[in-house]
Amino acid sequence: MTVRAILSAKGPQVASVEPDVKLSAALRILSERQIGSVIVVSGARIEGILSERDVVRALDEHGAAALDQPVSAAMTRKVVSCRLSDTVAHLMEVMTAERFRHLPVVEEGKLVGLVSIGDVVKLRLQHYEAEQEALRDYINMA
Ligand code: AMP
């Protein structure tokens, strides 16, 4: 099972903001869309990733003043991405080793989607249920 399968189920949409947008505006996107991160882009270029964890850190360090600062002050700049051909097992390894829950999907330098740990868990659960169902059918046939 690959990233391509996940994206064909959930679509290519990725929430993104420009680096100079205020943190408060990015927070509104996270809250309204009920998501955990946004990709920070300048045109087509990925500049960083901002997750709810970065917001917590910025608020802890700067208090409410952080909300008026640009997203670029709080985001992670070195972004790890994946490709459409990567396996879900590989994604799980990367997310576990790096301790994060989001991976933008990049093909030929272009952002084509985003996979969250929730997408991975959902897919694994579907497979697990399908396997259980197949085993149950097999047992009932015997
Ligand atoms: P998360 O668990 O995804 O909410 O993120 C935890 C931390 O890792 C935050 O500081 C994020 O900015 C950072 N982070 C999340 N995803 C990535 C990624 N794909 N590449 C680099 N850093 C990331």
Side-chain angles (χ1 to χ4, degrees):
M1 187 58 65
T2 63
V3 169
R4 186 174 275 108
I6 295 184
L7 287 195
S8 60
K10 73 172 272 196
Q13 66 282 348
V14 183
S16 63
V17 293
E18 301 264 325
D20 52 357
V21 158
K22 279 187 182 176
L23 195 62
S24 56
L27 267 182
R28 175 144 308 141
I29 295 173
L30 296 181
S31 162
E32 283 178 356
R33 301 201 195 169
Q34 299 184 317
I35 53 177
S37 75
V38 285
I39 304 298
V40 185
V41 293
S42 282
R45 190 185 142 82
I46 297 179
E47 302 284 353
I49 181 166
L50 179 88
S51 95
E52 47 206 0
R53 212 161 280 184
D54 300 312
V55 178
V56 170
R57 193 185 314 118
L59 286 172
D60 178 47
E61 285 173 6
H62 307 289
L67 298 173
D68 286 329
Q69 291 176 353
V71 159
S72 57
M75 70 186 189
T76 301
R77 290 175 188 275
K78 195 165 172 277
V79 180
V80 179
S81 61
C82 65
R83 307 195 58 181
L84 287 171
S85 56
D86 284 338
T87 62
V88 172
H90 174 69
L91 261 56
M92 287 167 71
E93 274 172 32
V94 174
M95 285 181 178
T96 306
E98 304 282 346
R99 293 176 177 270
F100 50 53
R101 298 165 292 178
H102 301 92
L103 277 169
V105 188
V106 175
E107 282 296 326
E108 290 168 12
K110 263 184 63 184
L111 179 62
V112 296
L114 182 123
V115 178
S116 76
I117 201 162
D119 301 324
V120 172
V121 170
K122 191 173 162 191
L123 190 79
R124 298 288 297 179
L125 206 59
Q126 281 166 358
H127 273 229
Y128 176 72
E129 280 166 1
E131 205 173 81
Q132 292 280 307
E133 188 78 24
L135 277 174
R136 226 175 280 126
D137 289 349
Y138 178 72
I139 292 165
N140 287 339
M141 268 170 28

mmCIF file of all heavy atoms in Angstrom, residues 26-76:
data_model
loop_
_atom_site.group_PDB
_atom_site.id
_atom_site.type_symbol
_atom_site.label_atom_id
_atom_site.label_comp_id
_atom_site.label_asym_id
_atom_site.label_seq_id
_atom_site.Cartn_x
_atom_site.Cartn_y
_atom_site.Cartn_z
ATOM 1 N N ALA A 26 -3.203 31.677 10.996
ATOM 2 C CA ALA A 26 -2.925 30.250 10.767
ATOM 3 C C ALA A 26 -3.716 29.398 11.766
ATOM 4 O O ALA A 26 -4.236 28.330 11.425
ATOM 5 C CB ALA A 26 -1.423 29.978 10.897
ATOM 6 N N LEU A 27 -3.802 29.908 13.009
ATOM 7 C CA LEU A 27 -4.562 29.197 14.053
ATOM 8 C C LEU A 27 -6.014 29.043 13.649
ATOM 9 O O LEU A 27 -6.635 28.013 13.898
ATOM 10 C CB LEU A 27 -4.526 30.014 15.348
ATOM 11 C CG LEU A 27 -3.446 29.695 16.336
ATOM 12 C CD1 LEU A 27 -3.595 30.551 17.579
ATOM 13 C CD2 LEU A 27 -3.559 28.240 16.708
ATOM 14 N N ARG A 28 -6.548 30.101 13.033
ATOM 15 C CA ARG A 28 -7.961 30.054 12.609
ATOM 16 C C ARG A 28 -8.159 28.933 11.588
ATOM 17 O O ARG A 28 -9.147 28.201 11.626
ATOM 18 C CB ARG A 28 -8.380 31.401 12.030
ATOM 19 C CG ARG A 28 -9.781 31.371 11.464
ATOM 20 C CD ARG A 28 -10.548 32.642 11.666
ATOM 21 N NE ARG A 28 -10.547 33.082 13.037
ATOM 22 C CZ ARG A 28 -10.451 34.350 13.413
ATOM 23 N NH1 ARG A 28 -10.342 35.289 12.511
ATOM 24 N NH2 ARG A 28 -10.454 34.683 14.667
ATOM 25 N N ILE A 29 -7.195 28.783 10.682
ATOM 26 C CA ILE A 29 -7.291 27.712 9.663
ATOM 27 C C ILE A 29 -7.270 26.338 10.350
ATOM 28 O O ILE A 29 -8.087 25.467 10.051
ATOM 29 C CB ILE A 29 -6.140 27.830 8.633
ATOM 30 C CG1 ILE A 29 -6.298 29.133 7.840
ATOM 31 C CG2 ILE A 29 -6.113 26.626 7.705
ATOM 32 C CD1 ILE A 29 -5.140 29.447 6.918
ATOM 33 N N LEU A 30 -6.333 26.164 11.295
ATOM 34 C CA LEU A 30 -6.249 24.877 12.015
ATOM 35 C C LEU A 30 -7.573 24.578 12.702
ATOM 36 O O LEU A 30 -8.075 23.451 12.654
ATOM 37 C CB LEU A 30 -5.121 24.900 13.059
ATOM 38 C CG LEU A 30 -3.686 25.060 12.567
ATOM 39 C CD1 LEU A 30 -2.720 25.025 13.750
ATOM 40 C CD2 LEU A 30 -3.309 23.975 11.573
ATOM 41 N N SER A 31 -8.127 25.610 13.345
ATOM 42 C CA SER A 31 -9.348 25.427 14.117
ATOM 43 C C SER A 31 -10.554 25.175 13.204
ATOM 44 O O SER A 31 -11.300 24.214 13.405
ATOM 45 C CB SER A 31 -9.543 26.681 14.982
ATOM 46 O OG SER A 31 -10.843 26.773 15.420
ATOM 47 N N GLU A 32 -10.735 26.032 12.185
ATOM 48 C CA GLU A 32 -11.916 25.897 11.323
ATOM 49 C C GLU A 32 -11.919 24.600 10.526
ATOM 50 O O GLU A 32 -12.951 23.979 10.334
ATOM 51 C CB GLU A 32 -11.991 27.087 10.353
ATOM 52 C CG GLU A 32 -12.502 28.333 11.050
ATOM 53 C CD GLU A 32 -12.544 29.543 10.128
ATOM 54 O OE1 GLU A 32 -12.109 29.465 8.953
ATOM 55 O OE2 GLU A 32 -13.008 30.592 10.596
ATOM 56 N N ARG A 33 -10.733 24.197 10.057
ATOM 57 C CA ARG A 33 -10.689 22.981 9.220
ATOM 58 C C ARG A 33 -10.451 21.716 10.042
ATOM 59 O O ARG A 33 -10.346 20.628 9.480
ATOM 60 C CB ARG A 33 -9.600 23.120 8.155
ATOM 61 C CG ARG A 33 -9.834 24.313 7.273
ATOM 62 C CD ARG A 33 -9.108 24.179 5.959
ATOM 63 N NE ARG A 33 -9.042 25.445 5.275
ATOM 64 C CZ ARG A 33 -8.301 25.694 4.221
ATOM 65 N NH1 ARG A 33 -7.551 24.743 3.715
ATOM 66 N NH2 ARG A 33 -8.291 26.887 3.656
ATOM 67 N N GLN A 34 -10.285 21.909 11.351
ATOM 68 C CA GLN A 34 -10.046 20.777 12.258
ATOM 69 C C GLN A 34 -8.871 19.920 11.789
ATOM 70 O O GLN A 34 -8.982 18.705 11.601
ATOM 71 C CB GLN A 34 -11.309 19.930 12.392
ATOM 72 C CG GLN A 34 -12.451 20.743 12.976
ATOM 73 C CD GLN A 34 -13.698 19.910 13.213
ATOM 74 O OE1 GLN A 34 -14.065 19.112 12.370
ATOM 75 N NE2 GLN A 34 -14.317 20.078 14.344
ATOM 76 N N ILE A 35 -7.740 20.627 11.568
ATOM 77 C CA ILE A 35 -6.526 19.930 11.138
ATOM 78 C C ILE A 35 -5.393 20.290 12.100
ATOM 79 O O ILE A 35 -5.525 21.225 12.901
ATOM 80 C CB ILE A 35 -6.130 20.313 9.677
ATOM 81 C CG1 ILE A 35 -6.042 21.843 9.522
ATOM 82 C CG2 ILE A 35 -7.112 19.717 8.695
ATOM 83 C CD1 ILE A 35 -5.586 22.294 8.155
ATOM 84 N N GLY A 36 -4.294 19.531 12.010
ATOM 85 C CA GLY A 36 -3.216 19.719 12.972
ATOM 86 C C GLY A 36 -2.013 20.472 12.433
ATOM 87 O O GLY A 36 -1.104 20.809 13.204
ATOM 88 N N SER A 37 -1.996 20.742 11.120
ATOM 89 C CA SER A 37 -0.837 21.471 10.584
ATOM 90 C C SER A 37 -1.188 22.181 9.284
ATOM 91 O O SER A 37 -2.159 21.814 8.616
ATOM 92 C CB SER A 37 0.333 20.505 10.333
ATOM 93 O OG SER A 37 0.078 19.747 9.173
ATOM 94 N N VAL A 38 -0.390 23.190 8.973
ATOM 95 C CA VAL A 38 -0.465 23.819 7.646
ATOM 96 C C VAL A 38 0.942 23.846 7.065
ATOM 97 O O VAL A 38 1.926 23.952 7.804
ATOM 98 C CB VAL A 38 -1.005 25.278 7.683
ATOM 99 C CG1 VAL A 38 -2.492 25.314 7.907
ATOM 100 C CG2 VAL A 38 -0.279 26.128 8.711
ATOM 101 N N ILE A 39 1.002 23.749 5.752
ATOM 102 C CA ILE A 39 2.287 23.862 5.072
ATOM 103 C C ILE A 39 2.503 25.344 4.751
ATOM 104 O O ILE A 39 1.571 26.029 4.319
ATOM 105 C CB ILE A 39 2.316 23.012 3.772
ATOM 106 C CG1 ILE A 39 1.990 21.544 4.073
ATOM 107 C CG2 ILE A 39 3.676 23.116 3.089
ATOM 108 C CD1 ILE A 39 2.949 20.838 4.983
ATOM 109 N N VAL A 40 3.720 25.808 5.009
ATOM 110 C CA VAL A 40 4.033 27.226 4.759
ATOM 111 C C VAL A 40 4.721 27.315 3.398
ATOM 112 O O VAL A 40 5.752 26.661 3.176
ATOM 113 C CB VAL A 40 4.928 27.789 5.882
ATOM 114 C CG1 VAL A 40 5.139 29.283 5.678
ATOM 115 C CG2 VAL A 40 4.304 27.512 7.254
ATOM 116 N N VAL A 41 4.102 28.085 2.491
ATOM 117 C CA VAL A 41 4.621 28.148 1.120
ATOM 118 C C VAL A 41 4.805 29.594 0.648
ATOM 119 O O VAL A 41 4.075 30.491 1.051
ATOM 120 C CB VAL A 41 3.656 27.445 0.122
ATOM 121 C CG1 VAL A 41 3.599 25.947 0.357
ATOM 122 C CG2 VAL A 41 2.262 28.038 0.174
ATOM 123 N N SER A 42 5.815 29.767 -0.191
ATOM 124 C CA SER A 42 5.964 31.024 -0.934
ATOM 125 C C SER A 42 5.790 30.641 -2.390
ATOM 126 O O SER A 42 6.679 30.001 -2.960
ATOM 127 C CB SER A 42 7.366 31.599 -0.772
ATOM 128 O OG SER A 42 7.494 32.216 0.460
ATOM 129 N N GLY A 43 4.638 30.966 -2.984
ATOM 130 C CA GLY A 43 4.351 30.468 -4.334
ATOM 131 C C GLY A 43 4.296 28.961 -4.279
ATOM 132 O O GLY A 43 3.551 28.393 -3.489
ATOM 133 N N ALA A 44 5.147 28.320 -5.109
ATOM 134 C CA ALA A 44 5.127 26.848 -5.133
ATOM 135 C C ALA A 44 6.176 26.260 -4.192
ATOM 136 O O ALA A 44 6.257 25.048 -4.022
ATOM 137 C CB ALA A 44 5.373 26.365 -6.558
ATOM 138 N N ARG A 45 6.998 27.115 -3.590
ATOM 139 C CA ARG A 45 8.108 26.634 -2.763
ATOM 140 C C ARG A 45 7.688 26.372 -1.310
ATOM 141 O O ARG A 45 7.046 27.221 -0.698
ATOM 142 C CB ARG A 45 9.215 27.697 -2.805
ATOM 143 C CG ARG A 45 10.509 27.278 -2.202
ATOM 144 C CD ARG A 45 11.469 28.471 -2.193
ATOM 145 N NE ARG A 45 12.254 28.463 -0.974
ATOM 146 C CZ ARG A 45 13.335 27.735 -0.808
ATOM 147 N NH1 ARG A 45 13.776 26.977 -1.787
ATOM 148 N NH2 ARG A 45 13.990 27.749 0.341
ATOM 149 N N ILE A 46 8.050 25.196 -0.783
ATOM 150 C CA ILE A 46 7.743 24.884 0.614
ATOM 151 C C ILE A 46 8.789 25.553 1.503
ATOM 152 O O ILE A 46 9.989 25.289 1.375
ATOM 153 C CB ILE A 46 7.745 23.357 0.866
ATOM 154 C CG1 ILE A 46 6.652 22.680 0.038
ATOM 155 C CG2 ILE A 46 7.549 23.055 2.351
ATOM 156 C CD1 ILE A 46 6.587 21.165 0.193
ATOM 157 N N GLU A 47 8.315 26.430 2.388
ATOM 158 C CA GLU A 47 9.227 27.152 3.286
ATOM 159 C C GLU A 47 9.273 26.515 4.671
ATOM 160 O O GLU A 47 10.230 26.713 5.427
ATOM 161 C CB GLU A 47 8.765 28.600 3.451
ATOM 162 C CG GLU A 47 8.666 29.390 2.170
ATOM 163 C CD GLU A 47 10.033 29.823 1.649
ATOM 164 O OE1 GLU A 47 11.036 29.630 2.354
ATOM 165 O OE2 GLU A 47 10.076 30.359 0.527
ATOM 166 N N GLY A 48 8.209 25.800 5.029
ATOM 167 C CA GLY A 48 8.179 25.203 6.364
ATOM 168 C C GLY A 48 6.867 24.502 6.631
ATOM 169 O O GLY A 48 6.013 24.398 5.747
ATOM 170 N N ILE A 49 6.749 24.015 7.880
ATOM 171 C CA ILE A 49 5.492 23.403 8.314
ATOM 172 C C ILE A 49 5.179 23.957 9.706
ATOM 173 O O ILE A 49 6.090 24.143 10.527
ATOM 174 C CB ILE A 49 5.564 21.864 8.300
ATOM 175 C CG1 ILE A 49 4.228 21.238 8.729
ATOM 176 C CG2 ILE A 49 6.692 21.327 9.176
ATOM 177 C CD1 ILE A 49 4.120 19.737 8.418
ATOM 178 N N LEU A 50 3.904 24.255 9.923
ATOM 179 C CA LEU A 50 3.479 24.761 11.232
ATOM 180 C C LEU A 50 2.453 23.786 11.782
ATOM 181 O O LEU A 50 1.392 23.591 11.175
ATOM 182 C CB LEU A 50 2.850 26.148 11.093
ATOM 183 C CG LEU A 50 2.367 26.728 12.421
ATOM 184 C CD1 LEU A 50 3.504 27.505 13.108
ATOM 185 C CD2 LEU A 50 1.163 27.634 12.224
ATOM 186 N N SER A 51 2.772 23.163 12.913
ATOM 187 C CA SER A 51 1.785 22.257 13.522
ATOM 188 C C SER A 51 1.328 22.855 14.843
ATOM 189 O O SER A 51 1.933 23.790 15.373
ATOM 190 C CB SER A 51 2.373 20.858 13.715
ATOM 191 O OG SER A 51 2.886 20.698 15.015
ATOM 192 N N GLU A 52 0.257 22.272 15.384
ATOM 193 C CA GLU A 52 -0.287 22.777 16.652
ATOM 194 C C GLU A 52 0.796 22.769 17.740
ATOM 195 O O GLU A 52 0.790 23.601 18.635
ATOM 196 C CB GLU A 52 -1.521 21.965 17.062
ATOM 197 C CG GLU A 52 -1.314 20.476 16.962
ATOM 198 C CD GLU A 52 -2.606 19.692 16.755
ATOM 199 O OE1 GLU A 52 -3.689 20.296 16.683
ATOM 200 O OE2 GLU A 52 -2.532 18.463 16.659
ATOM 201 N N ARG A 53 1.740 21.840 17.629
ATOM 202 C CA ARG A 53 2.825 21.777 18.617
ATOM 203 C C ARG A 53 3.713 23.022 18.553
ATOM 204 O O ARG A 53 4.206 23.504 19.573
ATOM 205 C CB ARG A 53 3.645 20.516 18.363
ATOM 206 C CG ARG A 53 4.206 19.951 19.624
ATOM 207 C CD ARG A 53 4.601 18.516 19.473
ATOM 208 N NE ARG A 53 3.479 17.601 19.566
ATOM 209 C CZ ARG A 53 3.587 16.292 19.541
ATOM 210 N NH1 ARG A 53 4.773 15.739 19.389
ATOM 211 N NH2 ARG A 53 2.542 15.517 19.642
ATOM 212 N N ASP A 54 3.930 23.542 17.332
ATOM 213 C CA ASP A 54 4.729 24.767 17.177
ATOM 214 C C ASP A 54 3.999 25.959 17.798
ATOM 215 O O ASP A 54 4.630 26.859 18.351
ATOM 216 C CB ASP A 54 4.998 25.044 15.695
ATOM 217 C CG ASP A 54 5.751 23.906 15.035
ATOM 218 O OD1 ASP A 54 6.755 23.448 15.614
ATOM 219 O OD2 ASP A 54 5.319 23.453 13.962
ATOM 220 N N VAL A 55 2.664 25.937 17.678
ATOM 221 C CA VAL A 55 1.859 27.030 18.249
ATOM 222 C C VAL A 55 1.978 27.005 19.776
ATOM 223 O O VAL A 55 2.170 28.042 20.410
ATOM 224 C CB VAL A 55 0.376 26.911 17.815
ATOM 225 C CG1 VAL A 55 -0.445 28.019 18.445
ATOM 226 C CG2 VAL A 55 0.260 26.953 16.297
ATOM 227 N N VAL A 56 1.908 25.801 20.343
ATOM 228 C CA VAL A 56 2.042 25.670 21.803
ATOM 229 C C VAL A 56 3.408 26.209 22.239
ATOM 230 O O VAL A 56 3.519 26.969 23.209
ATOM 231 C CB VAL A 56 1.874 24.186 22.232
ATOM 232 C CG1 VAL A 56 2.263 24.001 23.693
ATOM 233 C CG2 VAL A 56 0.446 23.729 21.999
ATOM 234 N N ARG A 57 4.464 25.848 21.505
ATOM 235 C CA ARG A 57 5.816 26.303 21.858
ATOM 236 C C ARG A 57 5.913 27.825 21.780
ATOM 237 O O ARG A 57 6.449 28.474 22.693
ATOM 238 C CB ARG A 57 6.851 25.661 20.934
ATOM 239 C CG ARG A 57 8.275 25.850 21.443
ATOM 240 C CD ARG A 57 9.353 25.333 20.496
ATOM 241 N NE ARG A 57 9.074 24.015 19.969
ATOM 242 C CZ ARG A 57 8.898 23.728 18.675
ATOM 243 N NH1 ARG A 57 8.976 24.687 17.764
ATOM 244 N NH2 ARG A 57 8.664 22.497 18.281
ATOM 245 N N ALA A 58 5.371 28.406 20.692
ATOM 246 C CA ALA A 58 5.439 29.865 20.505
ATOM 247 C C ALA A 58 4.685 30.581 21.624
ATOM 248 O O ALA A 58 5.164 31.594 22.156
ATOM 249 C CB ALA A 58 4.860 30.240 19.137
ATOM 250 N N LEU A 59 3.524 30.052 22.003
ATOM 251 C CA LEU A 59 2.742 30.680 23.083
ATOM 252 C C LEU A 59 3.480 30.563 24.412
ATOM 253 O O LEU A 59 3.476 31.497 25.220
ATOM 254 C CB LEU A 59 1.359 30.023 23.186
ATOM 255 C CG LEU A 59 0.371 30.394 22.079
ATOM 256 C CD1 LEU A 59 -0.885 29.529 22.165
ATOM 257 C CD2 LEU A 59 -0.009 31.868 22.156
ATOM 258 N N ASP A 60 4.133 29.431 24.618
ATOM 259 C CA ASP A 60 4.888 29.249 25.859
ATOM 260 C C ASP A 60 6.054 30.233 25.930
ATOM 261 O O ASP A 60 6.328 30.833 26.959
ATOM 262 C CB ASP A 60 5.397 27.802 25.929
ATOM 263 C CG ASP A 60 6.237 27.560 27.171
ATOM 264 O OD1 ASP A 60 5.791 27.969 28.262
ATOM 265 O OD2 ASP A 60 7.334 26.987 27.055
ATOM 266 N N GLU A 61 6.731 30.425 24.780
ATOM 267 C CA GLU A 61 7.922 31.284 24.771
ATOM 268 C C GLU A 61 7.575 32.779 24.775
ATOM 269 O O GLU A 61 8.269 33.569 25.399
ATOM 270 C CB GLU A 61 8.785 30.970 23.543
ATOM 271 C CG GLU A 61 9.539 29.655 23.701
ATOM 272 C CD GLU A 61 10.268 29.242 22.432
ATOM 273 O OE1 GLU A 61 10.294 30.012 21.448
ATOM 274 O OE2 GLU A 61 10.811 28.110 22.434
ATOM 275 N N HIS A 62 6.535 33.163 24.060
ATOM 276 C CA HIS A 62 6.264 34.600 23.874
ATOM 277 C C HIS A 62 4.934 35.072 24.428
ATOM 278 O O HIS A 62 4.603 36.261 24.309
ATOM 279 C CB HIS A 62 6.324 34.946 22.373
ATOM 280 C CG HIS A 62 7.588 34.506 21.712
ATOM 281 N ND1 HIS A 62 8.805 35.106 21.934
ATOM 282 C CD2 HIS A 62 7.833 33.495 20.846
ATOM 283 C CE1 HIS A 62 9.737 34.490 21.228
ATOM 284 N NE2 HIS A 62 9.178 33.505 20.563
ATOM 285 N N GLY A 63 4.140 34.162 24.956
ATOM 286 C CA GLY A 63 2.818 34.551 25.439
ATOM 287 C C GLY A 63 1.922 34.971 24.287
ATOM 288 O O GLY A 63 2.196 34.637 23.117
ATOM 289 N N ALA A 64 0.883 35.758 24.588
ATOM 290 C CA ALA A 64 -0.111 36.146 23.573
ATOM 291 C C ALA A 64 0.518 36.943 22.429
ATOM 292 O O ALA A 64 -0.030 36.988 21.322
ATOM 293 C CB ALA A 64 -1.222 36.934 24.231
ATOM 294 N N ALA A 65 1.688 37.570 22.675
ATOM 295 C CA ALA A 65 2.361 38.364 21.623
ATOM 296 C C ALA A 65 2.696 37.484 20.412
ATOM 297 O O ALA A 65 2.802 37.985 19.277
ATOM 298 C CB ALA A 65 3.629 38.996 22.189
ATOM 299 N N ALA A 66 2.857 36.178 20.635
ATOM 300 C CA ALA A 66 3.192 35.252 19.539
ATOM 301 C C ALA A 66 2.122 35.284 18.450
ATOM 302 O O ALA A 66 2.418 35.099 17.266
ATOM 303 C CB ALA A 66 3.335 33.828 20.080
ATOM 304 N N LEU A 67 0.882 35.559 18.837
ATOM 305 C CA LEU A 67 -0.231 35.519 17.877
ATOM 306 C C LEU A 67 -0.096 36.589 16.798
ATOM 307 O O LEU A 67 -0.622 36.435 15.696
ATOM 308 C CB LEU A 67 -1.571 35.689 18.616
ATOM 309 C CG LEU A 67 -1.880 34.580 19.631
ATOM 310 C CD1 LEU A 67 -3.134 34.922 20.417
ATOM 311 C CD2 LEU A 67 -2.042 33.246 18.911
ATOM 312 N N ASP A 68 0.614 37.695 17.131
ATOM 313 C CA ASP A 68 0.813 38.767 16.152
ATOM 314 C C ASP A 68 2.093 38.584 15.339
ATOM 315 O O ASP A 68 2.367 39.360 14.424
ATOM 316 C CB ASP A 68 0.852 40.125 16.868
ATOM 317 C CG ASP A 68 -0.531 40.544 17.329
ATOM 318 O OD1 ASP A 68 -1.515 40.176 16.645
ATOM 319 O OD2 ASP A 68 -0.638 41.205 18.382
ATOM 320 N N GLN A 69 2.886 37.585 15.716
ATOM 321 C CA GLN A 69 4.136 37.348 14.973
ATOM 322 C C GLN A 69 3.835 36.559 13.696
ATOM 323 O O GLN A 69 2.817 35.861 13.627
ATOM 324 C CB GLN A 69 5.127 36.589 15.857
ATOM 325 C CG GLN A 69 5.637 37.447 17.004
ATOM 326 C CD GLN A 69 6.547 36.675 17.957
ATOM 327 O OE1 GLN A 69 6.718 35.469 17.847
ATOM 328 N NE2 GLN A 69 7.114 37.386 18.902
ATOM 329 N N PRO A 70 4.748 36.658 12.705
ATOM 330 C CA PRO A 70 4.503 35.891 11.475
ATOM 331 C C PRO A 70 4.681 34.398 11.712
ATOM 332 O O PRO A 70 5.453 33.989 12.595
ATOM 333 C CB PRO A 70 5.570 36.421 10.509
ATOM 334 C CG PRO A 70 6.630 37.000 11.366
ATOM 335 C CD PRO A 70 5.960 37.479 12.625
ATOM 336 N N VAL A 71 3.994 33.616 10.921
ATOM 337 C CA VAL A 71 4.096 32.160 10.973
ATOM 338 C C VAL A 71 5.566 31.717 10.854
ATOM 339 O O VAL A 71 5.983 30.750 11.495
ATOM 340 C CB VAL A 71 3.247 31.565 9.811
ATOM 341 C CG1 VAL A 71 3.671 30.162 9.466
ATOM 342 C CG2 VAL A 71 1.780 31.618 10.171
ATOM 343 N N SER A 72 6.343 32.443 10.072
ATOM 344 C CA SER A 72 7.744 32.063 9.846
ATOM 345 C C SER A 72 8.554 32.017 11.138
ATOM 346 O O SER A 72 9.564 31.314 11.219
ATOM 347 C CB SER A 72 8.410 33.019 8.851
ATOM 348 O OG SER A 72 8.309 34.336 9.337
ATOM 349 N N ALA A 73 8.101 32.763 12.181
ATOM 350 C CA ALA A 73 8.834 32.780 13.448
ATOM 351 C C ALA A 73 8.607 31.488 14.236
ATOM 352 O O ALA A 73 9.419 31.133 15.084
ATOM 353 C CB ALA A 73 8.401 33.980 14.289
ATOM 354 N N ALA A 74 7.522 30.786 13.951
ATOM 355 C CA ALA A 74 7.178 29.606 14.760
ATOM 356 C C ALA A 74 7.320 28.288 13.998
ATOM 357 O O ALA A 74 7.382 27.222 14.611
ATOM 358 C CB ALA A 74 5.734 29.738 15.265
ATOM 359 N N MET A 75 7.372 28.344 12.668
ATOM 360 C CA MET A 75 7.335 27.110 11.867
ATOM 361 C C MET A 75 8.646 26.324 11.954
ATOM 362 O O MET A 75 9.683 26.860 12.357
ATOM 363 C CB MET A 75 7.078 27.461 10.392
ATOM 364 C CG MET A 75 8.242 28.158 9.739
ATOM 365 S SD MET A 75 7.837 28.721 8.068
ATOM 366 C CE MET A 75 9.480 29.236 7.507
ATOM 367 N N THR A 76 8.582 25.058 11.559
ATOM 368 C CA THR A 76 9.787 24.231 11.385
ATOM 369 C C THR A 76 10.239 24.403 9.937
ATOM 370 O O THR A 76 9.424 24.255 9.009
ATOM 371 C CB THR A 76 9.459 22.742 11.652
ATOM 372 O OG1 THR A 76 8.970 22.624 12.986
ATOM 373 C CG2 THR A 76 10.676 21.860 11.471
#
